[in-house]
Amino acid sequence: MRALWTPALLALALLAGGCTTEAAKLHPEDNPYLSQGRIQFESSLAKYTVQIVRVDSERVGSGLLRIILTVRNTTKKNLWAEFRTTFLDERQHVLEQTNWEPIELNARTVTEYTCTSMSTRAADYQVIIRKPAKTSFDKP
């Protein structure tokens, strides 16, 4: 019977020891969303196939922030890229964020990506570009 109690007590001691909390260390940054720039590539390989040609931002309608991003596919083939925009308020906190939007980039041409905020409080933005892991767009 003693052989049965020893593993049970050991398991109980391990579980009880793992239930403590630890304070998180703070790593302050002035502007974490824009520290790497307003336009970012999720992977370092994407910058070799997609070039940023032009970025425009403007206020439209009743003060909504619209961004227009012109990108060039530098490859010989059409490819898909996904874009996600995060709009920030005046204190650089997330105000709204889009889902990943797939955009087809035609071979060796420019394509425009446009996104408009839903709030007049949008003061800045961040766009992340990634190549999708796998798509079913080419399948019948």
Side-chain angles (χ1 to χ4, degrees):
M1 181 138 152
R2 187 174 201 179
L4 183 63
W5 280 99
T6 304
L9 288 175
L10 181 62
L12 184 62
L14 289 175
L15 286 174
C19 295
T20 62
T21 61
E22 181 179 339
K25 293 181 182 177
L26 182 63
H27 301 282
E29 292 182 30
D30 287 337
N31 196 344
Y33 281 92
L34 300 180
S35 64
Q36 301 295 317
R38 284 189 175 106
I39 313 300
Q40 300 176 22
F41 293 107
E42 187 180 68
S43 130
S44 60
L45 299 177
K47 66 183 176 184
Y48 298 111
T49 57
V50 177
Q51 291 179 342
I52 307 303
V53 177
R54 182 177 174 160
V55 179
D56 292 310
S57 62
E58 61 186 355
R59 294 284 175 182
V60 295
S62 59
L64 301 178
L65 180 60
R66 177 170 62 185
I67 59 163
I68 303 169
L69 186 64
T70 307
V71 297
R72 179 182 301 277
N73 174 0
T74 60
T75 67
K76 297 177 188 179
K77 297 180 182 177
N78 294 353
L79 63 91
W80 288 89
E82 293 180 330
F83 293 72
R84 184 180 74 190
T85 302
T86 303
F87 288 101
L88 307 169
D89 65 12
E90 65 279 350
R91 295 184 60 212
Q92 302 302 317
H93 293 288
V94 174
L95 185 62
E96 55 192 72
Q97 188 174 67
T98 67
N99 292 327
W100 288 103
E101 301 177 46
I103 307 286
E104 184 176 21
L105 307 175
N106 293 323
R108 298 187 188 224
T109 60
V110 294
T111 304
E112 284 192 347
Y113 165 74
T114 303
C115 190
T116 304
S117 68
M118 296 179 2
S119 171
T120 57
R121 296 183 334 162
D124 216 335
Y125 62 91
Q126 173 201 55
V127 178
I128 297 178
I129 302 169
R130 73 178 183 184
K131 290 177 66 174
K134 239 181 194 181
T135 65
S136 59
F137 297 121
D138 295 330
K139 296 181 180 178

